[in-house]
Amino acid sequence: MMGHQRVEQAALFYEFSLERHVPADHLLRSIDRFVDLDGLRRELAPFYSAIGRPSIAPELMIRMLLVGYCFGIRSERRLCEEVHLNLAYRWFCRLGLDGDVPNHSTFSKNRHGRFRDSDLLRQLFEAILRRCIDEGLVGGESFAVDASLIKADANRQNGVEGEKGLPPQAASRAIDEYLDVLDDAAFGAATEVVPKFISPADPAARWTGAHGGQAFFAYSTNYLIDVENAIIVDVEPTTAIRQADVLAAKRMIERTAKNFALHPSRLLGDSAYGSAAMLGWLVDEHGIEPHVTVFDKSARKDGSFAREDFNYDPAVDVYVCPGGKTLTTTGTRVNDGETLLYRASKADCDACALKPSCCPNTPARKVPRSIHEKARDRARTIANSWEGRTYRRLRKKVEMLFAHLKRILRLDRLRLRGPNGARDEFLLAAAAQNLRKPAKLIPTPQPKPT
């Protein structure tokens, strides 16, 4: 028999506890243990007036943003609606049942003002990282670095040719930010190559076809992680080219050492970080073992001897060719002072039976050697060792974080424009990812029985 809903007269009073209606195993309950915003209020105090009408509490806006980035709610308008309706979100934001949810426009006003002026989101990320360190989740021995492309909020069909530049009448906040970073080595000064297209909506975004399919405008998000528990120890936005990613890696390593006294003994990375200069920076300047694939283009396509066929003798600083002759250098550096050239004698090459296989098109053979070749050799030795093969697998932890960022947190495309917008989104997303780690790894204390 079909049942009927019983219509009851509305009660005059209700006894309702928001605390009881949030499940004990809800993710926000676990995350809430590691969110401490007292320090952020002190940092923001100079950016508020001592008189006038009270503003929306900054703690409320930060907690709402964390909810949005933890649960992949990309729209701030929709975030306000979800917080208004969801009991767990209200509990986490300390709103109770009757608390008013701020208007979505409040977020943009504070983001472009107080939050950026005070670098609040960087402080939020570092506060959460410091809590992870205090909980023992950061080993500090092995770091991994990588970058991933995130699509910019720019229509690829509206791009203008890079050679023509931006139209004279173009004006926006994103364009002002683009002009501000023209001399920044992580953006405008990363390369002298003019991009094929520029977006008038977000000119700092780089036109790239790195994924092999349809080209698009993008930024790079760079992660430096501790491989023990895949905690993100730093994040940096850059333009979407390799040179900027290498610079970001250096900045993140130095900033982590300065702010948290974390000095890793080894760094894991792919060939994008395997240039001679980068390996020299790691080994010679910072004493870090480079578990990095060496970027090497010495192999020849014509079948002639490659550089690896020549044996280097460090005792006398010469190369020995397959024919037993020596190649010496004058010590003159080329390629911006990064390379030495070792030359064979023309008389030796003319009389050598191996000349067709060595230097068929030149009078004598030349072998370039980087001034950082010792660091490159160290990276090659590590790559061929058992330890190197073991740590190479751990490098995938960074890629897993990027997959989580794009698929679970839904940050496969930016919503904010300009370098500052990219930095805001990347910092909040990294903070959310770091919060989820201790929430899952550290059990929630059980209440003592009464």
Side-chain angles (χ1 to χ4, degrees), residues 11-54:
L12 294 177
F13 302 98
Y14 288 94
E15 182 181 353
F16 185 90
S17 172
L18 191 59
E19 180 75 24
R20 291 204 312 265
H21 281 73
V22 179
D25 58 350
H26 197 283
L27 178 61
L28 285 180
R29 277 198 180 275
S30 299
I31 286 177
D32 187 62
R33 296 175 292 154
F34 307 100
V35 178
D36 183 3
L37 303 180
D38 292 340
L40 300 183
R41 169 170 279 271
R42 289 193 299 270
E43 295 294 334
L44 276 176
F47 298 89
Y48 284 87
S49 173
I51 59 176
R53 189 177 62 179

Side-chain angles (χ1 to χ4, degrees), residues 161-436:
E161 294 183 16
E163 294 289 348
K164 295 181 179 179
L166 294 171
Q169 69 276 14
S172 68
R173 182 183 289 109
I175 291 178
D176 293 339
E177 292 181 16
Y178 163 69
L179 297 175
D180 290 340
V181 298
L182 278 179
D183 296 327
D184 189 340
F187 289 95
T191 178
E192 296 180 355
V193 178
V194 178
K196 187 175 181 180
F197 294 103
I198 297 177
S199 169
D202 191 355
R206 187 83 181 182
W207 178 261
T208 178
H211 286 170
Q214 208 173 41
F216 54 93
F217 294 105
Y219 287 92
S220 280
T221 178
N222 297 265
Y223 276 7
L224 181 68
I225 75 164
D226 182 90
V227 297
E228 184 171 327
N229 289 298
I231 299 295
I232 304 167
V233 295
D234 208 347
V235 56
E236 181 83 3
T238 62
T239 189
I241 57 173
R242 183 179 63 85
Q243 296 94 315
D245 295 342
V246 173
L247 174 67
K250 294 179 180 180
R251 286 180 177 178
M252 291 189 293
I253 291 171
E254 291 177 339
R255 185 163 53 216
T256 303
K258 178 182 177 181
N259 295 347
F260 298 97
L262 294 176
H263 304 275
S265 60
R266 60 186 65 86
L267 180 73
L268 289 60
D270 57 24
S271 60
Y273 307 92
S275 65
M278 179 63 181
L279 293 173
W281 185 86
L282 289 172
V283 177
D284 301 330
E285 297 186 30
H286 294 269
I288 299 174
E289 286 190 358
H291 290 252
V292 178
T293 305
V294 178
F295 186 76
D296 194 351
K297 288 188 175 182
S298 63
R300 295 198 166 196
K301 298 180 180 179
D302 58 2
S304 59
F305 294 139
R307 183 172 57 195
E308 61 185 15
D309 296 317
F310 294 73
N311 295 321
Y312 179 71
D313 187 347
V316 290
D317 190 25
V318 298
Y319 274 98
V320 180
C321 74
K325 304 298 181 181
T326 59
L327 288 76
T328 60
T329 180
T330 62
T332 303
R333 296 183 180 184
V334 297
N335 296 336
D336 297 328
E338 294 290 317
T339 306
L340 294 170
L341 286 180
Y342 290 75
R343 293 180 172 88
S345 167
K346 183 177 182 299
D348 290 341
C349 288
D350 287 341
C352 183
L354 298 176
K355 188 176 189 302
S357 300
C358 184
C359 51
N361 301 319
T362 56
R365 179 62 189 261
K366 294 183 293 185
V367 174
R369 179 180 175 83
S370 170
I371 61 174
H372 306 293
E373 198 65 32
K374 289 183 180 179
R376 285 158 59 89
D377 290 340
R378 176 63 180 152
R380 293 187 186 100
T381 301
I382 291 174
N384 294 325
S385 66
W386 175 85
E387 183 187 27
R389 291 190 291 270
T390 301
Y391 278 103
R392 196 177 304 147
R393 293 193 293 269
L394 297 179
R395 201 170 66 197
K396 296 180 179 178
K397 290 188 175 184
V398 195
E399 299 170 2
M400 293 170 65
L401 281 172
F402 287 141
H404 178 267
L405 176 72
K406 296 178 181 180
R407 296 185 180 183
I408 307 301
L409 304 190
R410 301 179 183 177
L411 191 58
D412 56 343
R413 183 185 178 96
L414 292 173
R415 191 179 56 81
L416 306 180
R417 293 175 177 173
N420 287 332
R423 183 176 66 249
D424 290 350
E425 294 220 59
F426 295 160
L427 283 169
L428 278 168
Q433 287 181 296
N434 277 353
L435 273 177
R436 293 168 69 106

